[in-house]
Amino acid sequence: MANDNKIGFTCGDIPLIPELKEAVLLAGAGGLHRPITRVNVMEVPDVIDWVRPGEFLITSGFPFRDNPDAISDMIPALAARGVAALGVKTRRFIDRIPERALRAAEELGFPIFELPASTAFSDVVRDIMERVLVQEARELSLLQSRFQKLSQQLLHGAGIEEFLQALDGMLNNPVILVDDHDRVLLSPQAEVAAKRIGDDMTWSRLRGDSALGVSFMTVGDRRIRVYVSAVNDQYTNCLILLLEWNQEHSVVDQLTIDRVGILVGLEMMNASARKEVEAKYIDQFLQDWLTGRIVTTEDVKIRAEACGCPLEEGHGFHAGTIRWVSGKPGLKQLQQAVKRIRVRLAGHRIQATLLEGGFAFLVAVAPQGNARRAVDALIAELGALADAEGSFSLCIGNRVDRVDHVHQSYQQAKKILHISAICDVREPCIDYVRLGVFRLLYMLPDAEEVREYRDRYIVPLLEYDKKNGTALLDTLKTYFKHNRNVKKTAAEMFTHYNTVNYRVERIYDLLEINAEVGDEILQLQLAVKLQEMRPVEETSGEKSLTLSG
């Protein structure tokens, strides 16, 4: 039984915790008067080095799954270090607590509780700490004071960075915020710790341990305690981490981290809402700029400034779009990609938006620079969206040095996409130079001489197919697509190898082409590309079926 004159929260009060109302005292009733000033979770075998006086130590039994009797050897050491009590969750990793451990606890007056299998450690930690705090007026006053100062700071317009700086100063320990996308925001002291650890992503890996409350990690040559609190609501899922760097965490420090979570959640929601609005303005600006709806240079500069994307003097621009060869991502994936690119590739002067059902981008280039590094960075970022290597190409227009000519570069990019799709050009980055002769074919005027050249090769095949119900022209297109590989052609057309050979020979005979003469094959291939770009509309005085590529 707990002492009526006790001060603070004691071991005898443990069953008062809703989460522990079914906990069973197995041994150590003589120590129920012990005060509990903190809670610790034991999930590592060397916890003895880290326990503090007054702690209620709880464990799932995981460290003892292979050797339950190790608990017996630990009891005297825990009692000697002033640990208040031990709670063990059984029937998951261990079936029961060894009798030897219970006898040692009884002799030492060290309470051991069997915890329900459903016990959530995070709830236990918070419930006990709250009860301890309620009975300690000074700490409650301090907590309220901290919360009020921090909330007033956010209310008067301070951002999350200033918020973390203030929290860092209050607690005299580093504070880390990990947002929904595992981006890391560091308080001033946390920046020092991050330099020692050399890998910011280590913070985000603690997301899976957030329910434990207290965790351990190695920073440089130091092994430290970390208090992890999760900000979980319908809008955000952030983590707040408090490192035991300069001094031990107090109960009120941990509760401060728990309580300010609601402020962090609200600020992240507000920041997210602001970014959504800003993103819409940027999208509209980019879409108007790329399509030429902003007429004057002055208007472009005003809109850019208003959107927070000021233009740098003397820079040129490349506009581009993406050709998805296979596996085009869904709308939500593309929208997320636009957000990531704006954050991660801002240093490469890249902007992106969704336009005309596709993915458009704009690269600003210094006067004497080029877009190579920016393009490589964009290809690497988009690679996470692609379902396989080579499943997309960046189609990029020529550089323009005037902001009111950007739409011309974008129109070129769209032409490059169209030509590369017709001619099946597959490279990570395609510009007019890489299109080579296909660009010239596309730019040829729709003159009588061009039509006559095309018809010389195409019309006989169309007429033959129409008359005989064959597929010579389709076979020829597929044949050239696979670099005259009969086996691949047959596989794509689901026909026999010999059938393809027969059709190809029939084409050569019909058009009087010598397959051994390279120039004659080249002329036939060029005619096929012209047909794909400008399909034959009439033949022999009748409208024919248009066969487009």
Side-chain angles (χ1 to χ4, degrees):
M1 295 291 294
N3 191 327
D4 293 335
N5 297 318
K6 70 181 177 63
I7 298 176
F9 187 82
T10 69
C11 296
D13 295 325
I14 285 176
L16 300 178
I17 301 299
E19 191 75 20
L20 300 180
K21 64 183 180 180
E22 296 180 4
V24 177
L25 177 67
L26 300 180
L32 289 178
H33 64 282
R34 294 171 181 255
I36 294 177
T37 58
R38 62 178 75 201
V39 184
N40 194 354
V41 179
M42 175 175 56
E43 298 297 7
V44 291
D46 61 343
V47 72
I48 293 296
D49 297 331
W50 307 101
V51 295
R52 301 286 190 274
E55 281 185 341
F56 177 35
L57 193 61
I58 55 179
T59 179
S60 66
F62 178 80
F64 312 106
R65 65 195 186 281
D66 298 322
N67 183 18
D69 203 56
I71 300 176
S72 308
D73 300 327
M74 187 177 291
I75 298 301
L78 294 177
R81 289 179 179 265
V83 173
L86 175 66
V88 182
K89 191 191 302 187
T90 56
R91 295 187 294 277
R92 183 178 180 189
F93 296 109
I94 61 175
D95 294 328
R96 60 185 181 83
I97 300 173
E99 287 296 326
R100 187 162 69 92
L102 297 179
R103 287 196 300 271
E106 192 65 30
E107 292 173 3
L108 295 169
F110 180 78
I112 295 183
F113 291 87
E114 184 179 38
L115 305 183
S118 61
T119 302
F121 287 171
S122 59
D123 292 338
V124 171
V125 170
R126 294 190 183 192
D127 284 353
I128 292 180
M129 291 299 96
E130 286 173 358
R131 288 171 182 267
V132 169
L133 183 59
V134 164
Q135 298 181 59
E136 297 180 7
R138 184 186 63 81
E139 292 186 344
L140 178 59
S141 176
L142 177 59
L143 178 62
Q144 291 173 334
S145 173
R146 288 175 173 178
F147 189 85
Q148 184 177 13
K149 288 178 181 178
L150 292 168
S151 59
Q152 286 295 318
Q153 186 180 33
L154 289 179
L155 186 63
H156 288 89
I160 199 69
E161 289 81 4
E162 292 86 352
F163 179 87
L164 291 177
Q165 183 176 359
L167 197 56
D168 182 303
M170 285 180 178
L171 306 181
N172 192 28
N173 271 319
V175 182
I176 297 103
L177 175 64
V178 183
D179 72 7
D180 302 68
H181 305 290
D182 285 343
R183 287 191 297 261
V184 177
L185 296 173
L186 305 174
S187 72
Q189 293 188 73
E191 291 180 358
V192 176
K195 290 178 182 177
R196 293 186 62 178
I197 198 168
D199 180 10
D200 290 349
M201 289 305 295
T202 299
W203 312 124
S204 65
R205 293 192 192 109
L206 286 176
R207 184 176 296 281
D209 297 331
S210 61
L212 296 178
V214 176
S215 185
F216 297 88
M217 66 184 308
T218 301
V219 179
D221 56 353
R222 292 179 59 182
R223 183 162 170 78
I224 62 170
R225 291 157 54 100
V226 181
Y227 186 72
V228 187
S229 181
V231 181
N232 291 299
D233 58 40
Q234 64 185 100
Y235 300 106
T236 185
N237 184 24
C238 305
L239 288 183
I240 307 177
L241 285 68
L242 177 64
L243 278 61
E244 198 170 77
W245 191 260
N246 299 316
Q247 60 188 36
E248 290 185 17
H249 299 156
S250 68
V251 173
V252 74
D253 290 342
Q254 295 180 355
L255 284 170
T256 299
I257 292 296
D258 290 336
R259 286 292 179 265
V260 300
I262 188 171
L263 299 178
V264 172
L266 290 171
E267 178 60 23
M268 298 299 281
M269 281 172 50
N270 291 334
S272 178
R274 290 195 299 269
K275 288 179 182 178
E276 288 294 331
V277 173
E278 292 169 359
K280 289 180 180 178
Y281 280 113
I282 293 173
D283 281 329
Q284 191 61 59
F285 164 59
L286 290 173
Q287 292 161 9
D288 289 346
W289 191 12
L290 289 168
T291 55
R293 289 196 290 265
I294 308 178
V295 179
T296 68
T297 300
E298 191 62 29
D299 286 343
V300 173
K301 291 181 178 179
I302 292 172
R303 290 276 300 273
E305 191 76 33
C307 291
C309 310
L311 304 180
E312 298 183 65
E313 198 66 34
H315 280 60
F317 302 92
H318 288 276
T321 187
I322 306 296
R323 175 190 166 213
W324 300 101
V325 179
S326 64
K328 180 180 179 180
L331 177 61
K332 288 187 177 180
Q333 288 179 291
L334 291 175
Q335 290 171 335
Q336 289 298 319
V338 168
K339 291 180 181 179
R340 288 200 309 272
I341 286 167
R342 287 179 181 172
V343 173
R344 298 182 184 180
L345 303 187
H348 292 278
R349 301 186 180 92
I350 296 176
Q351 284 288 355
T353 188
L354 302 185
L355 179 59
E356 299 174 331
F359 187 102
F361 61 91
L362 185 67
V363 181
V365 183
Q368 304 302 321
N370 59 61
R372 186 69 261 171
R373 288 184 61 191
V375 167
D376 288 343
L378 185 55
I379 290 172
E381 187 66 37
L382 290 171
L385 280 178
D387 60 356
E389 185 176 350
S391 60
F392 70 92
S393 295
L394 267 63
C395 302
I396 187 166
N398 289 339
R399 172 175 174 151
V400 294
D401 291 317
R402 290 178 48 175
V403 296
D404 57 340
H405 288 175
V406 161
H407 70 282
Q408 297 176 3
S409 183
Y410 179 64
Q411 292 301 319
Q412 290 171 349
K414 291 202 299 182
K415 288 182 180 178
I416 292 168
L417 183 149
H418 182 60
I419 298 169
S420 65
I422 290 174
C423 302
D424 199 34
V425 179
R426 301 190 183 193
E427 293 186 29
C429 181
I430 306 173
D431 56 14
Y432 269 149
V433 173
R434 285 174 171 78
L435 287 178
V437 70
F438 298 123
R439 173 195 175 193
L440 298 179
L441 292 179
Y442 186 82
M443 298 180 66
L444 284 175
D446 190 16
E448 183 63 30
E449 291 84 356
V450 175
R451 292 194 295 271
E452 288 179 357
Y453 174 83
R454 174 201 62 196
D455 293 351
R456 143 83 175 90
Y457 295 95
I458 301 302
V459 169
L461 300 182
L462 286 172
E463 292 179 339
Y464 187 91
D465 284 343
K466 183 178 180 181
K467 181 179 179 180
N468 298 283
T470 53
L472 295 186
L473 184 57
D474 282 347
T475 301
L476 184 62
K477 289 179 181 179
T478 309
Y479 182 62
F480 281 141
K481 173 184 174 182
H482 291 295
N483 197 25
R484 304 193 333 181
N485 186 304
V486 176
K487 184 176 180 181
K488 291 182 179 179
T489 303
E492 180 169 330
M493 299 193 72
F494 300 102
T495 189
H496 196 274
Y497 179 93
N498 291 335
T499 302
V500 174
N501 273 326
Y502 170 78
R503 290 178 183 174
V504 171
E505 290 175 6
R506 187 73 190 93
I507 291 168
Y508 291 158
D509 290 342
L510 193 63
L511 300 178
E512 298 180 352
I513 287 177
N514 186 344
E516 303 300 323
V517 179
D519 284 348
E520 292 189 17
I521 297 298
L522 175 60
Q523 290 180 50
L524 175 58
Q525 191 167 4
L526 294 177
V528 170
K529 294 303 179 186
L530 281 172
Q531 157 68 7
E532 292 175 332
M533 295 175 187
R534 301 187 182 96
V536 175
E537 295 180 357
E538 294 185 7
T539 179
S540 301
E542 299 178 351
K543 295 219 171 179
S544 69
L545 294 175
T546 298
L547 304 178
S548 57

